Amino acid sequence: MSTSETTPSPALPAASALDRLALMATFVRIVEAGSLSAAAAQLGTTQPTVSRRLQALERSLGLRLIQRSTHAMQLTEDGQRCLERAKALLADWEAFESDLRGRGEVAEGRLRVVVPHAMGQHHLMAPLAEFLHAHPRVDIEWLLHDDAHGLIAQGVDCAIQVGEVTDTSLVAIRLSSVERILVAAPQVLAGAEAPSDPQDLAGLPWLALRTYYRADIELHHRDGRQSRHLALRPRLSTDSLYALRSAALQGLGVAAVSAWSVTEDIAQGRLLHVAPDWVAPPLPVFLLYPPAPHYPARLRRFVEVFRRAMPPTLAG
C-alpha cells in the first residue's frame, strides 16, 4: 500500500464538541451584541480573543459567517443559517444541563424587570403572562421606566430597552424592532390633502419624542433608495410615547410615532398617516442583563420566552 493511501493530509486540530459549543456561543453573542468589541465586553474578554474565536469557528465549519469591514458587520447567508442552528443547539444544551441539575434548576424566586412605559403596558404583557403561567413559582416586579440607564446597577435583574445600547458591559439580546411612521390630526392639515413628501411637512408644527429625536429627524423612503433630513422646531417635546400620541390627537402637530401605538387612531380617522412611503429609522428592542458565570433558571426561562414571543418587527 502506498504512503499516500496511509498517511492523512495535514489538517487543523479538531475542536471538541464542547469547544465548538463555546465557539458557537461566542458567535451568537457577537451577532446579538452587534460588534466584536461589545461582545468582548459582555464576555469579560478582549476583542482580539473574540475575533480569534470567530475565526476558529469559521475554520472549523469551512464557512464565512460574518462579513466584517471598518464600519459594519453583516451576516452572510451561511452565517444566518448558522445563527439559527447555533441558537437551537445552545438552547438544547442548556435544557440538557438544567435537566441534569434537577430541582435546583426549577424556575423560582423573584425577578425585577424594567420595561418601557408604553410597550410594557401593551406588547410585552402577552409574553409576560405566558411566562408567569408557565412558571408559577416565579414572581415578577414589573417596573415601568422609559430610560433603563443605570437601573441594572440598582438591583434590577434585567431590562427591556427601546433604542441602541450604550453600555457595552451588559449582555444585550436583540428581541425586535419598532417601525416608526409620521402622523397628524386632520386639523393640523387645515383640510388639505395629506402630503406624500416629507419636505411638505417642514412648515407644519411638530412634536418631538426627545428620547429619539428633538431638533431634527432623518426619514427614509420604504424603497431604501432615498432619505430626507428635516430640521424641526417642536411645539412640544416629551419623553413619553403616550403623551406624544395624546398631543398628536389634540392637533398640536406632526409626530413620528411607533406604528403599533396609532393603528386604531388611523383606522378611525382620528389621525392621518402622512407621507406614508417615508419612515423614521426603526428602533431596536433589546433585553439587557449583567454578565455572570451562571444565571438562575428564572432569568434564563424569562429570556427564552421573550426571545420566542417577540415578532421581528413591531408594526401596525
Side-chain angles (χ1 to χ4, degrees):
M1 188 174 291
S2 69
T3 303
S4 62
E5 293 174 320
T6 59
T7 305
S9 59
L12 291 168
S16 70
L18 284 176
D19 289 337
R20 290 194 182 98
L21 279 174
L23 295 178
M24 284 191 291
T26 298
F27 166 62
V28 171
R29 184 63 60 84
I30 291 169
V31 176
E32 292 179 339
S35 70
L36 297 177
S37 58
Q42 293 176 11
L43 292 168
T45 186
T46 64
Q47 181 173 333
T49 297
V50 169
S51 180
R52 284 194 296 271
R53 292 177 187 173
L54 174 61
Q55 291 169 13
L57 179 61
E58 290 179 328
R59 286 198 304 269
S60 176
L61 296 173
L63 300 170
R64 174 60 65 88
L65 303 178
I66 295 177
Q67 294 287 0
R68 300 178 291 283
S69 66
T70 305
H71 303 292
M73 185 185 77
Q74 185 173 2
L75 280 174
T76 64
E77 184 175 344
D78 289 325
Q80 186 62 54
R81 291 190 298 113
C82 179
L83 179 64
E84 300 308 315
R85 294 295 297 275
K87 286 180 178 179
L89 286 169
L90 292 169
D92 286 345
W93 179 258
E94 186 176 275
F96 170 70
E97 286 185 319
S98 296
D99 288 343
L100 289 182
R101 291 192 183 106
R103 285 183 56 85
E105 286 301 297
V106 171
E108 59 184 356
R110 175 166 296 181
L111 275 177
R112 302 186 74 225
V113 184
V114 167
V115 295
H117 267 96
M119 190 177 291
Q121 298 175 64
H122 192 274
H123 274 289
L124 302 181
M125 291 305 297
L128 173 63
E130 177 186 341
F131 172 80
L132 288 172
H133 285 312
H135 302 286
R137 295 171 63 176
V138 179
D139 301 323
I140 295 283
E141 287 187 41
W142 195 246
L143 309 173
L144 301 177
H145 294 274
D146 285 325
D147 184 2
H149 180 71
L151 292 172
I152 294 290
Q154 300 175 25
V156 171
D157 295 292
C158 64
I160 293 176
Q161 174 179 303
V162 178
E164 296 295 341
V165 178
T166 56
D167 187 348
T168 58
S169 69
L170 298 175
V171 178
I173 297 175
R174 185 162 181 151
L175 297 177
S176 184
S177 64
V178 178
E179 181 183 10
R180 294 192 294 164
I181 62 174
L182 304 177
V183 297
Q187 58 265 43
V188 173
L189 303 179
E193 186 176 347
S196 59
D197 191 297
Q199 292 293 355
D200 297 331
L201 302 172
L204 297 174
W206 272 79
L207 309 170
L209 187 57
R210 58 185 294 112
T211 316
Y212 308 113
Y213 71 98
R214 300 188 184 192
D216 61 348
I217 190 168
E218 191 77 21
L219 301 172
H220 301 280
H221 197 279
R222 292 184 186 274
D223 65 13
R225 297 193 296 268
Q226 305 175 65
S227 63
R228 296 280 192 279
H229 181 269
L230 298 185
L232 309 176
R233 186 177 179 181
R235 296 283 319 282
L236 171 72
S237 63
T238 178
D239 60 358
S240 166
L241 175 61
Y242 279 161
L244 183 76
R245 170 181 170 268
S246 295
L249 287 168
Q250 294 295 323
L252 296 179
V254 180
V257 298
S258 301
W260 64 262
S261 69
V262 293
T263 302
E264 292 186 10
D265 298 319
I266 293 173
Q268 298 296 323
R270 295 187 293 267
L271 290 174
L272 301 176
H273 186 180
V274 298
D277 290 331
W278 295 82
V279 293
L283 297 172
V285 181
F286 287 98
L287 193 153
L288 311 173
Y289 51 91
H294 177 71
Y295 298 102
R298 59 183 177 272
L299 178 58
R300 298 202 312 273
R301 301 294 178 262
F302 183 88
V303 173
E304 289 168 5
V305 168
F306 275 77
R307 289 179 73 168
R308 182 180 67 252
M310 293 292 285
T313 302
L314 299 177

